[in-house]
Amino acid sequence: MTHCPVLTPEQRQSVELISRLEKVMMGKIVTLIGDVGREADKGLKAISSDEFPPQQDYFLAVAHRQLFLRLCGADPETGKGGDPDVASAILNSDSNFMAVHWEGKAPTTGANTHPTP
């Protein structure tokens, strides 16, 4: 069993600040993706296109890919370059997350849950 240290008041404030900012950031991302979807719908109607506007999942996937490339240090436009070890650590972390949270498996030993580029 792991031991969790007692946080100092400053550490607790820091954790609370970061947690609050993460929620603000995610709220803004979700709002922006909804705005972009509506803008795509309006734009396609304005040019009398018979194309269906992309679903919200499309824009979520674009954001996910762009963030992944940036975390790996790859060029976000071409997907080239970057650090394959960081990419692998991210993918392994995501696999471990799925196994633990969705499949009920024990975490893989040594799994890096927070890869740093």
Side-chain angles (χ1 to χ4, degrees), residues 32-87:
L32 181 61
I33 287 172
D35 292 348
V36 168
R38 286 185 288 282
E39 190 174 324
D41 186 40
K42 280 177 32 182
L44 289 170
K45 286 178 181 172
I47 60 173
S48 301
S49 173
D50 59 354
E51 295 290 323
F52 290 104
Q55 297 295 312
Q56 180 174 349
D57 288 351
Y58 169 79
F59 292 111
L60 285 168
V62 169
H64 180 261
R65 175 60 54 95
Q66 288 294 306
L67 291 170
F68 175 78
L69 291 170
R70 288 176 189 335
L71 280 169
C72 298
D75 183 311
E77 289 188 32
T78 65
K80 295 184 188 285
D83 187 332
D85 292 333
V86 172

